[in-house]
Amino acid sequence: MNSFTFAQAPAIDAAVREKAGQPGSAYIGGGTNLVDLMKENVERPTHLIGLKKLGLDSITASADGGLRLGALATNADTAWHPEVEKRYPLLNQAILAGASPQLRNMATDGGNLMQRTRCYYFYDLATPCNKREPGSGCSAIGGYNRIHAILGASEACIATHPSDMCVALAALEATVRVSGPNGERTIAFEDFHRLPGDSPERDNTLEPGELITGLDLPAKGFEKNYSYLKLRDRTSYAFALVSVATALELDGGIITDARLALGGVAHKPWRDKTAEALLIGQPATADTFRTAAAQVLAGAKGQGTNNFKIELAKRAIVRALKQATEMNQVVDDNAFQNSNP
Amino acid sequence: MSHITQAPLDRLPVALAPTQSVTLHINGQDHTLQIAPWTTLLDALREYLDLTGTKKGCDHGQCGACTVLVDGKRINSCLSLAVMQEGSEIQTIEGLGTEENLHPLQQAFIDHDAFQCGYCTPGQICSAQGLLNEGKARTEAEVRELMSGNLCRCGAYPNILSAVMEVLTNEESGTKNLKPKEDVGQWAAGATKPDMAPVEPAK
Amino acid sequence: MTLQTDYIGKPTSRIDGPAKVLGTAKYAAEFNVPNLLYGHVVSSPIAKGKITKINADPVLALPGVHQVFSHENVPSLAWLDRSYKDDVAPGGSPFRPLHKPEIRFSQQPVALVVADTFELARYAASILEIEYEEEAHETELTQHIDEAFEPGRGKTGYQPPKSRGNFGRGWEQGVAHVEANYSHHAQHHNPMEMFATTVEWLGDKKLNVYDKTQGAFNSQQYIMKIFGLSKDEARVISKYTGGGFGSGLRPQHQLFLAVLASLELQRSVRVSLTRQQMFSFGHRPETLQHVALATAEDGSLTGINHFAVAETSQFEDFTENVVGWSGTLYDCKNVKLGYRLSKLDVYTPLDMRAPGAASGSIALEIAMDEMAYAAGLDPLEFRIRNYSDFDQAQNLPYSSKNLRACYREGAAKFGWDQRTPEPGSMRDGNLLVGWGMGGGIWDAQKQPALAKVSLDADGHLTVSSGSNDIGTGTYTIMTQIAAESMGLPIEAVTFVLGDTELPEAPVQGGSWTAASVGTAVQEACAKLGEQLLKQAQKMDHPAFKDAKIDDVQFANGQMRLRSDLTQAVVLRDLVQASGEPKIEAQNSKLPGMVDMIKPPKYSMHAHNAVFVEVKVDPDLMTVHVTRVVNAVAAGRIINPKTARSQVLGSVVWGISSALMEESVMDHRFGRFMNHNYAEYHIPVNADIHNIDVIFVHEEDAEVNPLGIKGLGEVGLLGVAAAVANAIYHATGKRVRDLPVTIDKLL
């Protein structure tokens, strides 16, 4: 970890000014991923701007009937917020599928969007990585890429975005509110994270100095039919190999609205509107689900050790859609009962 | 043969940030430290305050050994900077119970043999206290899931589960874990005082 | 008759429990001695090559940085290889940190930066500029099988495996056959406590060394020889160890580095490794195995062939007994065994919980399952038909062996008789259910150990031995043994360990501590008993006047005549009457040559049988181990409470090994890439469900007077194989390359 100075910013505009005035500075919300990356020397900010006093930790109803999540609300407070539990259970499930209770108590909603990939090579300074050091090469290509992308990757980078929460936010069509040197603006969730292309060092479309101030959830929460299915190498406290966030509206067995987004498969939460369109108007049956799954993975490309994720993702989509339809799902794997003979 | 430079990301050392005064409120007491911003809460506890009950198992938020309670909520102290915690109520294992008056979780961990090497134990216990504070876990499955942020390489999980379940059940039923369970049973009755008078053989 | 001070065999809470739950138990990095400096290790980014330049000046210019140690400035230390050999070192030339510019493995420690604070040392280490010339490295075992060689007998007690009979003939005699390759990848111990050493500089080269180790004396010998220190100067203390599993058997880099820095700077120094650096030293070696089995019409094994090739470093030949167990566990006349090593550009592997046996039992016990299917037999019935009542490998009878009871009681508890054999034939709703089994064998060992006992005038007994408690329960069981031996209440006994100023004890490994140190404690107590009797006789106590030691017993705080229990004297009264503050005794020195060369009369082993239930999602192929019954025959169980925990832990290890644990090396870099707890997966609480532990009755007067066989390893054996066998039973998919991750089942 390098040396840095620290100051709590008193207000949003002051924070933004401070950021603009100090090259090499960074915002710090809950800590977690940024502190981790600083210990690995992947991030070397020379000044940290604390956000704790900005008062952005509330969760409030918004005028359009939706819900506004303050950027500094913790993941845990968000997941357990009564309105989130009641109206956006998909978001509740996704958040609780990620990290650990301790990390969810620290990590903020804004920070969740800003977390960086878990690519082994990104984290290890002994190996080349275009995301960490542009132009040095991608070690994951041709290497160990179990947790890497099967969709939307480039020759420069096959990293994945590790968030669970963001997969649900993508499916729910959240909006990101930001403040920056040029004032406030909003970013549609699908436009927030980006694909690596030839500039994988950029994870998202924030302009320099911009600060996430909140997330807006639209009024429609899909509280009746939804599923967040996460598959990983152990039951809990592990990043997704593949995760699926799906939400449906059903009318007499016919799908009238559908959302489908995947985690662990791309540089950004992977929402597929074409697949959603294939679901809408169709009966909620296994055939329909398989058609949608095939669409999502149509352009998938394995990188060697992650080839299995293409098939796994297909099966996960079908299962998640089935769970969302039937809503008798096993919420997590712990529901396995013992069968003493 | 290729030439490799294991290089600094910033070639020349920048000026080191000065230390600053940081006051941490820990286990009901204020502690003022003169530390640089790069000191994590975990290192502040262990290296500057000699509160070594909080453990460092990975230093990256991947094991839970460093779990402490901040304003009643469990967090990984390794991923938080000490300067970020000014004004918070921090509780560590040292603030949970005493030798004479063990916290019910501490007693339950002994009774259920919920540890072996003991290194993850303070983190497990603080995490369990956080779990109790949250009030989200009722069933064994929920406790397993919500205790999954704490690794135990000795594999004491089944015993950790039963220890936490016992305290959880007692809390719910309003009873306190008043008395340690006597493992030794009736055979030890009368034999447990070192300064006892000669005793007769048991029948 | 049960005496009030009988403790052996009684479930007893850990003596060290309060210290551990209160956080007052201090581990190596937690001794905050005054004026402490911090060292941070710089690790090599390359696997092979050499350092051409170190630019330490900018680092040394930082205020608060004291020194940068590297091969360029390390003072001349011990010259000979043997000075660097610790007690557990395999054959070869041990790695010497900061000795030469050559890089021999990825993450090799290449420098130590010492500074006033932990943060500064870490930062300074991050800006240390080092240049390397990289050379091509070889780290891929599968590419180097042909160069594998048969290692010789090492000093570590390794015996090359012995074949017997004629496997070729046995194979031909068989009517059913199986033959397959099995493999598992490297694994790292990853104890929760990261390796650390705090060296307290007491002046004039005198050091208190708080080290994370499984053997304080091993660490002491190591630094004495390298740095030319006397025993007095190099006191090593290790009261609590945050897990070992074998990783602390050999001194690790940080011990050398911390002592070096302390002696050079004449200051107290702490060096802690990072979690990533925990992947820079010993590991369970990747091992490739081949097993062929044949059975006759009646299901009896006619031939066993087990061959293994494992990795080792370029500089040491790490050996372990992978295949030898296959010549013992089952009855078979024709056994062919082979074991080879291949040298790679990696650090030397290291014993890891049930070294060799854990690996070998994966191949043997999966193969046994395959053989049972090929022979049309139930896997349990098949093992019972091939039960070994006589150790054919050593040509000796067993001192005791109650594996039959493990089979019987384990199967009954599990409900094995409800199993239908066809793969995929059992369901729980939509889930596939699989039941599999396995088991294993581990030798009951005993090492020379010393213990001292001291009874004071308050009737308090202090027992000491420089052993260790890595979580195994040593504190507790030694207290139990001493309390029962002297007939004192357990609260009147204190056991002290982990200090080289105490009587010498072996490293804690091989499951031998309970037997070795327990026997030493028992012997020391017996000597104390003799002295107490003498004291009673000195006092002209009429009842004891002509009594021999066998005529008295120690119980309930007294010494009393067996023939008339009312004739008793309180122990503390004896001390008080002696006029001395305490009466002490120690067991005799290490066993004489005669004892050492006496040929063994018995084969002495612990056994287990494990039954596993998995549930598998038929579409997603996620696997959950929902039930395990592990039945263990390990002689006398001193403390069923801590013993159960040890076996529970073993089962968790087995599940981990079966389903998730794997150090993944990228051979292009010769580097383990998942070098952290996030990507090196071990189970979390949510992965672990019901585990039953059964200790079957087993009395053994031959192993040692206490009848202990040891528990650290045996519970792990066969667990991983049983999980893989259960997965086969559930899915029909036979995975022979562990761990069985989801990609292998899709």
Side-chain angles (χ1 to χ4, degrees), chain C residues 20-76:
Chain C
K20 286 177 173 173
V21 300
L22 287 161
T24 53
K26 284 212 180 269
Y27 299 79
E30 298 173 352
F31 292 85
N32 289 326
V33 300
N35 299 316
L36 186 65
L37 297 178
Y38 292 81
H40 198 88
V41 180
V42 181
S43 305
S44 166
I46 63 168
K48 193 177 180 189
K50 70 174 182 198
I51 300 169
T52 53
K53 190 180 160 199
I54 297 183
N55 181 13
D57 291 342
V59 172
L60 289 166
L62 285 170
V65 170
H66 289 255
Q67 185 54 290
V68 176
F69 291 99
S70 71
H71 69 277
E72 291 182 346
N73 63 357
V74 161
S76 71

Side-chain angles (χ1 to χ4, degrees), chain C residues 602-614:
Chain C
Y602 295 98
S603 162
M604 299 186 280
H605 288 98
H607 295 83
N608 76 323
V610 59
F611 301 83
V612 168
E613 174 183 273
V614 297

Side-chain angles (χ1 to χ4, degrees), chain B residues 17-52:
Chain B
T19 59
Q20 61 191 78
S21 176
V22 177
T23 300
L24 298 175
H25 193 69
I26 305 165
N27 302 328
Q29 276 193 311
D30 278 339
H31 300 264
T32 301
L33 294 170
Q34 199 62 37
I35 50 174
W38 60 10
T39 308
T40 63
L41 176 58
L42 174 61
D43 291 323
L45 294 170
R46 285 171 64 84
E47 308 298 338
Y48 296 84
L49 292 164
D50 202 28
L51 290 168
T52 54

Side-chain angles (χ1 to χ4, degrees), chain A residues 149-171:
Chain A
I150 51 174
L151 289 164
S154 73
E155 304 215 328
C157 182
I158 60 170
T160 48
H161 193 262
S163 171
D164 292 295
M165 180 182 184
C166 289
V167 187
L169 292 172

Side-chain angles (χ1 to χ4, degrees), chain A residues 319 322 328 330 335-339, chain C residues 424-434 613-619 626 730:
Chain A
R319 173 64 61 86
K322 183 168 182 283
N328 59 353
V330 173
F336 276 93
Q337 294 302 311
N338 304 302
S339 65
Chain C
S425 63
M426 293 173 70
R427 295 254 172 174
D428 173 16
N430 184 44
L431 299 173
L432 299 163
V433 175
E613 174 183 273
V614 297
K615 292 186 181 170
V616 183
D617 185 297
D619 304 317
T626 44

Side-chain angles (χ1 to χ4, degrees), chain C residues 541-695:
Chain C
H541 199 297
F544 296 101
K545 187 161 170 277
D546 299 314
K548 304 272 182 291
I549 192 69
D550 290 343
D551 300 331
V552 301
Q553 66 164 214
F554 294 87
N556 299 1
Q558 307 163 317
M559 177 175 74
R560 45 197 198 180
L561 273 187
R562 286 178 190 277
S563 57
D564 179 1
L565 294 179
T566 62
Q567 294 298 320
V569 54
V570 179
L571 297 189
R572 65 164 180 258
D573 293 348
L574 290 169
V575 183
Q576 283 166 8
S578 75
E580 300 291 329
K582 56 196 172 190
I583 297 178
E584 294 186 334
Q586 183 162 334
N587 69 321
S588 34
K589 286 276 169 199
L590 312 176
M593 255 338 220
V594 185
D595 295 323
M596 299 296 277
I597 56 169
K598 244 196 284 180
K601 286 193 290 190
Y602 295 98
S603 162
M604 299 186 280
H605 288 98
H607 295 83
N608 76 323
V610 59
F611 301 83
V612 168
E613 174 183 273
V614 297
K615 292 186 181 170
V616 183
D617 185 297
D619 304 317
L620 304 173
M621 303 314 280
T622 48
V623 177
H624 291 267
V625 177
T626 44
R627 246 171 6 108
V628 179
V629 175
N630 199 347
V632 177
R636 195 176 188 188
I637 304 303
I638 303 296
N639 184 347
K641 184 170 185 173
T642 55
R644 173 177 172 269
S645 292
Q646 255 184 308
V647 176
L648 287 178
S650 293
V651 171
V652 173
W653 270 60
I655 293 169
S656 186
S657 185
L659 297 180
M660 47 188 94
E661 214 170 308
E662 173 180 14
S663 299
V664 182
M665 181 173 276
D666 185 328
H667 295 293
R668 299 170 306 166
F669 302 104
R671 190 171 176 91
F672 292 113
M673 290 312 304
N674 58 339
H675 44 54
N676 56 64
Y677 263 151
E679 296 300 335
Y680 183 90
H681 296 122
I682 60 170
V684 295
N685 207 317
D687 288 300
I688 302 304
H689 295 252
N690 287 2
I691 304 173
D692 272 313
V693 178
I694 298 171
F695 293 112

